[in-house]
PDB file of all heavy atoms in Angstrom:
ATOM      1  N   ILE O 161     -20.408  44.976  21.047  1.00  0.00           N
ATOM      2  CA  ILE O 161     -20.183  43.591  21.304  1.00  0.00           C
ATOM      3  C   ILE O 161     -21.132  42.950  22.226  1.00  0.00           C
ATOM      4  O   ILE O 161     -21.703  41.812  21.998  1.00  0.00           O
ATOM      5  CB  ILE O 161     -18.678  43.348  21.595  1.00  0.00           C
ATOM      6  CG1 ILE O 161     -17.801  43.778  20.418  1.00  0.00           C
ATOM      7  CG2 ILE O 161     -18.490  41.885  21.985  1.00  0.00           C
ATOM      8  CD1 ILE O 161     -16.230  43.757  20.856  1.00  0.00           C
ATOM      9  N   VAL O 162     -21.354  43.606  23.307  1.00  0.00           N
ATOM     10  CA  VAL O 162     -22.309  43.085  24.300  1.00  0.00           C
ATOM     11  C   VAL O 162     -23.780  42.898  23.779  1.00  0.00           C
ATOM     12  O   VAL O 162     -24.340  42.019  23.968  1.00  0.00           O
ATOM     13  CB  VAL O 162     -22.246  43.946  25.588  1.00  0.00           C
ATOM     14  CG1 VAL O 162     -23.407  43.598  26.566  1.00  0.00           C
ATOM     15  CG2 VAL O 162     -20.865  43.759  26.331  1.00  0.00           C
ATOM     16  N   SER O 163     -24.112  44.019  23.023  1.00  0.00           N
ATOM     17  CA  SER O 163     -25.479  44.024  22.400  1.00  0.00           C
ATOM     18  C   SER O 163     -25.613  42.827  21.449  1.00  0.00           C
ATOM     19  O   SER O 163     -26.692  42.272  21.450  1.00  0.00           O
ATOM     20  CB  SER O 163     -25.662  45.263  21.789  1.00  0.00           C
ATOM     21  OG  SER O 163     -25.684  46.374  22.717  1.00  0.00           O
ATOM     22  N   TYR O 164     -24.687  42.692  20.561  1.00  0.00           N
ATOM     23  CA  TYR O 164     -24.792  41.782  19.514  1.00  0.00           C
ATOM     24  C   TYR O 164     -24.548  40.268  19.934  1.00  0.00           C
ATOM     25  O   TYR O 164     -24.913  39.341  19.241  1.00  0.00           O
ATOM     26  CB  TYR O 164     -23.915  42.061  18.189  1.00  0.00           C
ATOM     27  CG  TYR O 164     -24.681  43.133  17.372  1.00  0.00           C
ATOM     28  CD1 TYR O 164     -24.582  44.505  17.706  1.00  0.00           C
ATOM     29  CD2 TYR O 164     -25.441  42.774  16.358  1.00  0.00           C
ATOM     30  CE1 TYR O 164     -25.237  45.510  16.896  1.00  0.00           C
ATOM     31  CE2 TYR O 164     -26.104  43.784  15.555  1.00  0.00           C
ATOM     32  CZ  TYR O 164     -25.913  45.073  15.885  1.00  0.00           C
ATOM     33  OH  TYR O 164     -26.596  46.028  15.099  1.00  0.00           O
ATOM     34  N   GLU O 165     -23.945  40.147  21.126  1.00  0.00           N
ATOM     35  CA  GLU O 165     -23.669  38.718  21.581  1.00  0.00           C
ATOM     36  C   GLU O 165     -24.972  38.124  22.006  1.00  0.00           C
ATOM     37  O   GLU O 165     -25.146  36.838  21.921  1.00  0.00           O
ATOM     38  CB  GLU O 165     -22.651  38.717  22.756  1.00  0.00           C
ATOM     39  CG  GLU O 165     -21.187  38.745  22.315  1.00  0.00           C
ATOM     40  CD  GLU O 165     -20.302  38.571  23.557  1.00  0.00           C
ATOM     41  OE1 GLU O 165     -20.759  38.579  24.751  1.00  0.00           O
ATOM     42  OE2 GLU O 165     -19.083  38.311  23.202  1.00  0.00           O
ATOM     43  N   ILE O 166     -25.933  38.908  22.399  1.00  0.00           N
ATOM     44  CA  ILE O 166     -27.172  38.191  23.035  1.00  0.00           C
ATOM     45  C   ILE O 166     -28.008  37.669  21.793  1.00  0.00           C
ATOM     46  O   ILE O 166     -28.306  36.453  21.906  1.00  0.00           O
ATOM     47  CB  ILE O 166     -28.061  39.335  23.735  1.00  0.00           C
ATOM     48  CG1 ILE O 166     -27.271  39.891  24.947  1.00  0.00           C
ATOM     49  CG2 ILE O 166     -29.317  38.797  24.143  1.00  0.00           C
ATOM     50  CD1 ILE O 166     -27.914  41.038  25.579  1.00  0.00           C
ATOM     51  N   PRO O 167     -28.344  38.327  20.664  1.00  0.00           N
ATOM     52  CA  PRO O 167     -28.932  37.583  19.595  1.00  0.00           C
ATOM     53  C   PRO O 167     -28.173  36.550  19.038  1.00  0.00           C
ATOM     54  O   PRO O 167     -28.592  35.512  18.510  1.00  0.00           O
ATOM     55  CB  PRO O 167     -29.248  38.737  18.563  1.00  0.00           C
ATOM     56  CG  PRO O 167     -28.408  39.840  18.898  1.00  0.00           C
ATOM     57  CD  PRO O 167     -28.134  39.783  20.385  1.00  0.00           C
ATOM     58  N   ALA O 168     -26.797  36.683  18.971  1.00  0.00           N
ATOM     59  CA  ALA O 168     -25.956  35.508  18.450  1.00  0.00           C
ATOM     60  C   ALA O 168     -26.079  34.337  19.246  1.00  0.00           C
ATOM     61  O   ALA O 168     -26.211  33.244  18.738  1.00  0.00           O
ATOM     62  CB  ALA O 168     -24.486  36.042  18.368  1.00  0.00           C
ATOM     63  N   VAL O 169     -26.079  34.430  20.594  1.00  0.00           N
ATOM     64  CA  VAL O 169     -26.096  33.262  21.545  1.00  0.00           C
ATOM     65  C   VAL O 169     -27.656  32.737  21.323  1.00  0.00           C
ATOM     66  O   VAL O 169     -27.767  31.526  21.321  1.00  0.00           O
ATOM     67  CB  VAL O 169     -26.012  33.657  22.958  1.00  0.00           C
ATOM     68  CG1 VAL O 169     -26.263  32.544  23.836  1.00  0.00           C
ATOM     69  CG2 VAL O 169     -24.437  34.071  23.020  1.00  0.00           C
ATOM     70  N   MET O 170     -28.668  33.613  21.205  1.00  0.00           N
ATOM     71  CA  MET O 170     -29.984  33.063  21.035  1.00  0.00           C
ATOM     72  C   MET O 170     -30.096  32.181  19.817  1.00  0.00           C
ATOM     73  O   MET O 170     -30.855  31.141  19.793  1.00  0.00           O
ATOM     74  CB  MET O 170     -30.956  34.205  21.082  1.00  0.00           C
ATOM     75  CG  MET O 170     -30.987  34.970  22.300  1.00  0.00           C
ATOM     76  SD  MET O 170     -31.550  34.079  23.682  1.00  0.00           S
ATOM     77  CE  MET O 170     -33.379  33.938  23.361  1.00  0.00           C
ATOM     78  N   SER O 171     -29.456  32.645  18.752  1.00  0.00           N
ATOM     79  CA  SER O 171     -29.485  31.877  17.437  1.00  0.00           C
ATOM     80  C   SER O 171     -28.730  30.575  17.589  1.00  0.00           C
ATOM     81  O   SER O 171     -29.134  29.595  17.033  1.00  0.00           O
ATOM     82  CB  SER O 171     -28.952  32.696  16.413  1.00  0.00           C
ATOM     83  OG  SER O 171     -27.583  32.953  16.491  1.00  0.00           O
ATOM     84  N   LEU O 172     -27.696  30.560  18.441  1.00  0.00           N
ATOM     85  CA  LEU O 172     -27.051  29.386  18.758  1.00  0.00           C
ATOM     86  C   LEU O 172     -27.839  28.268  19.454  1.00  0.00           C
ATOM     87  O   LEU O 172     -27.719  27.085  19.214  1.00  0.00           O
ATOM     88  CB  LEU O 172     -25.737  29.608  19.483  1.00  0.00           C
ATOM     89  CG  LEU O 172     -24.694  30.484  18.896  1.00  0.00           C
ATOM     90  CD1 LEU O 172     -23.468  30.563  19.746  1.00  0.00           C
ATOM     91  CD2 LEU O 172     -24.311  30.008  17.518  1.00  0.00           C
ATOM     92  N   LEU O 173     -28.746  28.711  20.295  1.00  0.00           N
ATOM     93  CA  LEU O 173     -29.605  27.816  20.907  1.00  0.00           C
ATOM     94  C   LEU O 173     -30.533  26.994  20.024  1.00  0.00           C
ATOM     95  O   LEU O 173     -30.811  25.898  20.416  1.00  0.00           O
ATOM     96  CB  LEU O 173     -30.497  28.589  22.016  1.00  0.00           C
ATOM     97  CG  LEU O 173     -29.801  29.285  23.133  1.00  0.00           C
ATOM     98  CD1 LEU O 173     -30.783  30.058  24.055  1.00  0.00           C
ATOM     99  CD2 LEU O 173     -29.005  28.155  24.012  1.00  0.00           C
ATOM    100  N   ALA O 174     -30.926  27.496  18.981  1.00  0.00           N
ATOM    101  CA  ALA O 174     -31.571  26.736  17.930  1.00  0.00           C
ATOM    102  C   ALA O 174     -30.939  25.543  17.529  1.00  0.00           C
ATOM    103  O   ALA O 174     -31.462  24.392  17.598  1.00  0.00           O
ATOM    104  CB  ALA O 174     -31.971  27.656  16.663  1.00  0.00           C
ATOM    105  N   VAL O 175     -29.500  25.654  17.284  1.00  0.00           N
ATOM    106  CA  VAL O 175     -28.749  24.353  16.857  1.00  0.00           C
ATOM    107  C   VAL O 175     -28.689  23.478  18.103  1.00  0.00           C
ATOM    108  O   VAL O 175     -28.732  22.258  18.010  1.00  0.00           O
ATOM    109  CB  VAL O 175     -27.444  24.863  16.386  1.00  0.00           C
ATOM    110  CG1 VAL O 175     -26.631  23.603  16.058  1.00  0.00           C
ATOM    111  CG2 VAL O 175     -27.641  25.772  15.212  1.00  0.00           C
ATOM    112  N   VAL O 176     -28.435  24.103  19.284  1.00  0.00           N
ATOM    113  CA  VAL O 176     -28.158  23.271  20.346  1.00  0.00           C
ATOM    114  C   VAL O 176     -29.409  22.420  20.745  1.00  0.00           C
ATOM    115  O   VAL O 176     -29.364  21.191  21.231  1.00  0.00           O
ATOM    116  CB  VAL O 176     -27.831  24.055  21.592  1.00  0.00           C
ATOM    117  CG1 VAL O 176     -27.676  23.281  22.948  1.00  0.00           C
ATOM    118  CG2 VAL O 176     -26.487  24.730  21.347  1.00  0.00           C
ATOM    119  N   MET O 177     -30.623  23.027  20.626  1.00  0.00           N
ATOM    120  CA  MET O 177     -31.819  22.247  20.925  1.00  0.00           C
ATOM    121  C   MET O 177     -32.040  21.160  19.896  1.00  0.00           C
ATOM    122  O   MET O 177     -32.537  20.109  20.354  1.00  0.00           O
ATOM    123  CB  MET O 177     -33.043  23.283  20.931  1.00  0.00           C
ATOM    124  CG  MET O 177     -33.116  24.143  22.000  1.00  0.00           C
ATOM    125  SD  MET O 177     -34.630  25.167  22.009  1.00  0.00           S
ATOM    126  CE  MET O 177     -34.525  26.112  20.561  1.00  0.00           C
ATOM    127  N   ILE O 178     -31.616  21.289  18.690  1.00  0.00           N
ATOM    128  CA  ILE O 178     -31.741  20.243  17.589  1.00  0.00           C
ATOM    129  C   ILE O 178     -30.899  19.044  17.938  1.00  0.00           C
ATOM    130  O   ILE O 178     -31.268  17.916  17.877  1.00  0.00           O
ATOM    131  CB  ILE O 178     -31.516  20.861  16.255  1.00  0.00           C
ATOM    132  CG1 ILE O 178     -32.635  21.762  15.973  1.00  0.00           C
ATOM    133  CG2 ILE O 178     -31.494  19.600  15.230  1.00  0.00           C
ATOM    134  CD1 ILE O 178     -32.322  22.495  14.579  1.00  0.00           C
ATOM    135  N   VAL O 179     -29.572  19.449  18.294  1.00  0.00           N
ATOM    136  CA  VAL O 179     -28.658  18.383  18.529  1.00  0.00           C
ATOM    137  C   VAL O 179     -28.648  17.749  19.891  1.00  0.00           C
ATOM    138  O   VAL O 179     -28.577  16.526  20.187  1.00  0.00           O
ATOM    139  CB  VAL O 179     -27.199  18.857  18.190  1.00  0.00           C
ATOM    140  CG1 VAL O 179     -26.126  17.875  18.504  1.00  0.00           C
ATOM    141  CG2 VAL O 179     -27.135  19.465  16.847  1.00  0.00           C
ATOM    142  N   GLY O 180     -28.910  18.639  20.976  1.00  0.00           N
ATOM    143  CA  GLY O 180     -28.943  18.125  22.248  1.00  0.00           C
ATOM    144  C   GLY O 180     -27.604  18.137  22.888  1.00  0.00           C
ATOM    145  O   GLY O 180     -27.240  17.388  23.934  1.00  0.00           O
ATOM    146  N   SER O 181     -26.636  18.804  22.283  1.00  0.00           N
ATOM    147  CA  SER O 181     -25.255  18.789  22.844  1.00  0.00           C
ATOM    148  C   SER O 181     -24.630  20.183  22.497  1.00  0.00           C
ATOM    149  O   SER O 181     -24.815  20.829  21.551  1.00  0.00           O
ATOM    150  CB  SER O 181     -24.439  17.667  22.196  1.00  0.00           C
ATOM    151  OG  SER O 181     -23.066  17.727  22.539  1.00  0.00           O
ATOM    152  N   LEU O 182     -23.531  20.442  23.316  1.00  0.00           N
ATOM    153  CA  LEU O 182     -22.723  21.742  23.081  1.00  0.00           C
ATOM    154  C   LEU O 182     -21.386  21.310  22.512  1.00  0.00           C
ATOM    155  O   LEU O 182     -20.568  22.340  22.214  1.00  0.00           O
ATOM    156  CB  LEU O 182     -22.437  22.394  24.484  1.00  0.00           C
ATOM    157  CG  LEU O 182     -23.758  23.130  25.020  1.00  0.00           C
ATOM    158  CD1 LEU O 182     -23.409  23.529  26.541  1.00  0.00           C
ATOM    159  CD2 LEU O 182     -24.149  24.332  24.203  1.00  0.00           C
ATOM    160  N   SER O 183     -21.160  20.118  22.166  1.00  0.00           N
ATOM    161  CA  SER O 183     -19.855  19.706  21.614  1.00  0.00           C
ATOM    162  C   SER O 183     -19.892  19.994  20.104  1.00  0.00           C
ATOM    163  O   SER O 183     -20.921  19.710  19.366  1.00  0.00           O
ATOM    164  CB  SER O 183     -19.635  18.286  21.809  1.00  0.00           C
ATOM    165  OG  SER O 183     -18.659  17.785  21.044  1.00  0.00           O
ATOM    166  N   LEU O 184     -18.837  20.682  19.619  1.00  0.00           N
ATOM    167  CA  LEU O 184     -18.901  21.068  18.214  1.00  0.00           C
ATOM    168  C   LEU O 184     -18.759  19.779  17.386  1.00  0.00           C
ATOM    169  O   LEU O 184     -19.290  19.708  16.323  1.00  0.00           O
ATOM    170  CB  LEU O 184     -17.697  21.894  17.931  1.00  0.00           C
ATOM    171  CG  LEU O 184     -17.819  23.319  18.634  1.00  0.00           C
ATOM    172  CD1 LEU O 184     -16.554  24.123  18.312  1.00  0.00           C
ATOM    173  CD2 LEU O 184     -19.126  24.081  18.207  1.00  0.00           C
TER     174      LEU O 184
END
Side-chain angles (χ1 to χ4, degrees):
I161 293 175
V162 171
S163 299
Y164 279 86
E165 274 189 352
I166 299 175
V169 173
M170 296 295 287
S171 63
L172 298 182
L173 289 178
V175 176
V176 173
M177 288 188 297
I178 295 174
V179 180
S181 173
L182 289 168
S183 169
L184 296 181

